[in-house]
Amino acid sequence: MFLKNITLFNYKNFSEASFEFDPKINCFVGKNGVGKTNVLDAIYHLSNGKSYFNPLAVQNIKHNEEFFVVDGEFEKNDRTEQIVCSLKKGQKKILKRNGKLYDKLSEHIGLIPLVIISPADRDLITDGSETRRKFMDSVISQLDKSYLQEIIKYQKIILQRNALLKYFALNHVFEKETLHIYDEQLDDLGQVIFEKRKSFLEKFIPIFNHYYQEISNNSENVQLVYQSDLFEKNMLPLLAENINKDKALQYTSVGIHKDDLSFEIDGFPIKKFGSQGQQKSFLIALKLAQFDFVKKQSGEKPILLFDDIFDKLDESRVSKIVSMVNQEEFGQLFISDTHPERTENIVKETHQSYKIFNL
């Protein structure tokens, strides 16, 4: 599977632009601010129906314009798949596959497997647990359609339960039976989601460890630790134990919506004790493990986007990453970089076909 071409209309800083791609390696080079990352984000948009960098869809429309369109053609299983994502101000986002409109964006997830590695990934280390849960959920959702629906249902019930807790506080009432209806639904869904996350991480963590050791030349020990209330108890007893706390806080304080992944180096939080290079290596290993996991489970090589990853990494770590990409297990690769000579030297080492786009 690979992306053959892409056309952008009013997307971020582009009024109109078209690119024809090499099936193996494609590099966007140029100064900061010319739109290299925006092209990668457009590719991400075609895979996931949303931007990787801008949570508000309307912010992807070029200034002073009313709409954007991203149109791409993929070669997949010996046939062309045309994916079009568009948005007009004040209207709902539209995603089409071969001219047919998707009823739900979630139906598209998994068709075009893709992994992006970007400086923005640092949020996984610096932000709260929600960012790390979203990472976990995005990987599992690419391979398990029912999982995404289970997450959506669970979040909806949490919102309803929280609204009920607020209602109780506002009206100085408490209806245990009504609350228990939500608790039972959370128990059923929470257990299923917990088991799927646990099963995913049992397979994922060894792959992650392998990539980190490859990148770092076995110089440090890192850990990826799954933290969940459900390791101790099932949802129903947890919710019952914490009901007074939930009533006081007016929201649900325990459950799989509080799960986290602890990123550690030699047993300590990498956020506090890891150098910039170690943190970056950790994140690259995490994303390469995502690539490997999706490939093994789906039988397809995801498209790989490298957004400005060569800054802040020493040469030995960069050459390690390049040598890994050189192996046949990787499919189509997109790279953005500010140094044209560095990029060309790196891709020449792979002995693969490539294209360089100067923006």
Side-chain angles (χ1 to χ4, degrees):
M1 181 197 69
F2 64 93
L3 177 60
K4 293 158 69 173
N5 57 65
I6 196 169
T7 301
L8 315 176
F9 294 102
N10 300 332
Y11 187 76
K12 299 192 178 187
N13 69 316
F14 292 98
S15 294
E16 185 176 346
S18 292
F19 302 95
E20 297 280 336
F21 295 127
D22 188 276
K24 288 304 291 182
I25 300 175
N26 299 275
C27 309
F28 294 93
V29 295
K31 293 177 182 175
N32 288 323
V34 295
K36 303 183 300 293
T37 297
N38 293 345
V39 182
L40 298 192
D41 202 21
I43 298 168
Y44 184 89
H45 232 114
L46 293 178
S47 171
N48 290 274
K50 63 181 180 181
S51 164
Y52 188 70
F53 301 98
N54 294 61
L56 291 173
V58 74
Q59 289 180 352
N60 298 298
I61 299 173
K62 192 174 188 289
H63 291 312
N64 303 318
E65 299 294 346
E66 292 299 307
F67 71 94
F68 80 74
V69 178
V70 179
D71 184 343
E73 285 188 328
F74 295 84
E75 184 80 22
K76 182 180 164 86
N77 299 330
D78 297 323
R79 57 169 288 178
T80 297
E81 294 277 2
Q82 185 189 27
I83 308 297
V84 180
C85 188
S86 61
L87 177 70
K88 192 171 183 180
K89 282 181 181 175
Q91 295 185 16
K92 194 179 170 186
K93 190 191 294 174
I94 289 172
L95 189 65
K96 290 181 179 178
R97 175 186 178 188
N98 300 324
K100 188 181 177 187
L101 186 68
Y102 280 104
D103 292 329
K104 296 177 184 174
L105 292 179
S106 59
E107 293 172 1
H108 178 64
I109 303 302
L111 178 74
I112 310 292
L114 177 147
V115 174
I116 183 168
I117 302 177
S118 161
D121 297 336
R122 195 158 186 280
D123 292 351
L124 284 163
I125 290 174
T126 57
D127 284 8
S129 59
E130 184 184 358
T131 306
R132 291 179 288 280
R133 278 195 306 278
K134 279 183 177 174
F135 167 74
M136 232 185 333
D137 292 343
S138 70
V139 183
I140 303 169
S141 297
Q142 283 201 332
L143 303 159
D144 184 343
K145 291 281 185 192
S146 63
Y147 181 81
L148 188 55
Q149 297 309 315
E150 285 151 5
I151 289 285
I152 292 166
K153 276 184 204 168
Y154 182 93
Q155 288 169 340
K156 192 175 177 183
I157 297 161
I158 285 288
L159 288 173
Q160 291 169 334
R161 189 181 191 269
N162 290 350
L164 191 61
L165 289 165
K166 284 183 175 68
Y167 172 82
F168 291 160
L170 198 64
N171 293 279
H172 307 288
V173 295
F174 180 65
E175 298 164 11
K176 190 177 179 180
E177 295 77 17
T178 313
L179 197 68
H180 193 67
I181 293 166
Y182 293 121
D183 290 359
E184 287 185 319
Q185 292 177 62
L186 290 175
D187 182 49
D188 290 342
L189 278 168
Q191 199 61 41
V192 170
I193 293 165
F194 169 68
E195 292 297 339
K196 286 187 177 182
R197 284 178 178 171
K198 196 168 66 160
S199 173
F200 157 65
L201 286 165
E202 281 167 2
K203 299 186 193 94
F204 183 82
I205 288 170
I207 302 170
F208 161 75
N209 285 330
H210 162 74
Y211 277 109
Y212 190 90
Q213 296 311 325
E214 280 276 307
I215 295 167
S216 68
N217 283 320
N218 300 302
S219 55
E220 306 108 14
N221 286 314
V222 290
Q223 296 84 32
L224 199 56
V225 183
Y226 180 31
Q227 298 173 335
S228 177
D229 294 329
L230 270 70
F231 278 115
E232 302 299 321
K233 285 178 182 159
N234 287 350
M235 280 288 286
L236 271 180
L238 270 172
L239 291 166
E241 270 180 25
N242 288 274
I243 186 55
N244 290 330
K245 184 182 176 184
D246 289 359
K247 281 161 73 176
L249 294 170
Q250 297 174 39
Y251 65 80
T252 309
S253 62
V254 290
I256 56 98
H257 58 292
K258 298 291 182 181
D259 284 2
D260 201 356
L261 278 176
S262 180
F263 294 175
E264 299 172 4
I265 184 160
D266 293 322
F268 296 98
I270 199 162
K271 181 179 178 178
K272 290 182 181 176
F273 295 92
S275 69
Q276 213 167 32
Q278 287 168 334
Q279 289 182 8
K280 199 151 192 180
S281 295
F282 194 102
L283 292 169
I284 291 168
L286 200 68
K287 292 305 191 79
L288 290 175
Q290 176 188 353
F291 175 94
D292 202 315
F293 180 81
V294 171
K295 187 190 74 172
K296 280 174 180 165
Q297 300 296 315
S298 68
E300 276 192 289
K301 296 173 183 175
I303 291 169
L304 189 56
L305 310 181
F306 277 157
D307 178 30
D308 195 24
I309 70 150
F310 299 117
D311 280 356
K312 301 185 184 72
L313 277 182
D314 59 58
E315 279 186 31
S316 71
R317 294 189 191 220
V318 170
S319 63
K320 274 284 179 188
I321 293 162
V322 171
S323 69
M324 283 189 264
V325 171
N326 194 16
Q327 294 161 22
E328 274 308 304
E329 65 245 32
F330 285 90
Q332 193 178 29
L333 175 67
F334 292 84
I335 298 171
S336 73
D337 193 15
T338 50
H339 299 79
E341 305 83 13
R342 173 172 68 184
T343 307
E344 185 136 28
N345 289 336
I346 285 166
V347 297
K348 273 180 180 172
E349 285 179 39
T350 66
H351 306 295
Q352 306 275 8
S353 61
Y354 67 88
K355 265 189 179 183
I356 292 183
F357 302 88
N358 283 284
L359 297 183

